[in-house]
Amino acid sequence: MHHQILAASTLLLGAVTTIYAAPPPASNLETRNASPQCWYGSDFPAESDWLPFDSLFEKWRPQFQAQGDTPHELDVMKDALQSYAAQGGFGAALATAMMIQESAGNTCRACGDGGVSCGLLQVRGAPKDCDGKAHPCPDSSIRKAIECGTVGCGVEGSNIKNCVASRGRKWGEVLRCYNTGSVTDPSNLRVASPGDPRYVHLVANILLGADYAKLGELGGAKCGF
């Protein structure tokens, strides 16, 4: 797992100001246009095959901005994903791919599950103040939403850290745990009640660099759904 410090605090005119790093040059990013794949049983791509965090986030930056996220919101989001993933002991690419599946990275995504699962990772305890509202979402709400989904924020429910603690580094099982709350059948990660049977293999393909627009075909008969 590779970590970078994306933000530094400086004392300016008596106030602490956070300075966020500019996006890395495109020439430094790994690009892939992976063909969507169907994932069955307990199969999941090896971590060594995932798109690196910077490359994954910057691949999706235009999509995030197209739905209304501002450049500053994205800087806060990127920093929080990396910081809390490091705190939780897992890669920021994993948290980013899950965020894309949960909310498409929209900081003002409407709450799901009848209004109880909110924020970028659609989780209990995340702030509701940006629920379906206009951009920008406050920095503190963006960071809190990511904190709740990655390492938890004192509210009962799934978070990535807890799922890693219970499932180890079996990433497909971690995803099923997060989406469903448990893993009913480790040999068949499509078993989801409640939850989305497509969740694990959609996130797998995001990690491999597939475009979200191409993922729709994975939700139908082509992959046995």
Side-chain angles (χ1 to χ4, degrees):
M1 190 160 40
H2 302 284
H3 305 305
Q4 288 180 302
I5 298 175
L6 295 182
S9 293
T10 60
L11 191 62
L12 181 63
L13 299 179
V16 175
T17 302
T18 301
I19 301 174
Y20 295 96
S27 60
N28 293 341
L29 299 175
E30 182 177 341
T31 59
R32 297 181 201 170
N33 287 302
S35 298
Q37 302 176 47
C38 302
W39 296 91
Y40 298 96
S42 61
D43 290 342
F44 197 78
E47 196 169 353
S48 58
D49 292 332
W50 300 358
L51 205 59
F53 168 64
D54 266 340
S55 299
L56 180 62
F57 192 94
E58 297 306 326
K59 174 185 177 69
W60 283 84
R61 184 181 286 267
Q63 172 69 23
F64 298 154
Q65 289 182 305
Q67 64 191 358
D69 290 343
T70 68
H72 179 73
E73 285 180 295
L74 293 176
D75 289 343
V76 175
M77 182 195 301
K78 187 175 183 181
D79 177 68
L81 284 164
Q82 193 151 11
S83 298
Y84 285 115
Q87 182 178 323
F90 47 86
L94 180 72
T96 302
M98 294 171 70
M99 177 193 75
I100 290 167
Q101 178 59 28
E102 292 286 349
S103 68
N106 187 342
T107 62
C108 295
R109 181 65 173 254
C111 298
D113 298 330
V116 298
S117 298
C118 300
L120 286 162
L121 283 152
Q122 294 286 286
V123 68
R124 293 176 184 269
K128 298 184 178 183
D129 54 329
C130 299
D131 176 15
K133 304 290 179 59
H135 296 267
C137 186
D139 294 9
S140 59
S141 296
I142 295 171
R143 295 191 67 87
K144 192 68 175 180
I146 292 172
E147 177 189 5
C148 291
T150 52
V151 298
C153 54
V155 177
E156 184 177 353
S158 297
N159 61 68
I160 302 173
K161 182 179 179 180
N162 282 351
C163 288
V164 173
S166 66
R167 311 309 304 184
R169 300 181 75 83
K170 298 176 182 177
W171 300 119
E173 293 184 26
V174 169
L175 294 174
R176 175 50 54 214
C177 167
Y178 186 88
N179 178 241
T180 306
S182 62
V183 181
T184 302
D185 184 357
S187 68
N188 183 4
L189 296 176
R190 297 182 174 208
V191 176
S193 180
D196 184 349
R198 304 167 300 169
Y199 190 86
V200 173
H201 84 130
L202 289 175
V203 174
N205 278 286
I206 294 169
L207 283 166
L208 292 174
D211 293 323
Y212 197 74
K214 297 178 181 178
L215 296 180
E217 62 189 270
L218 295 176
K222 177 178 179 179
C223 289
F225 292 103

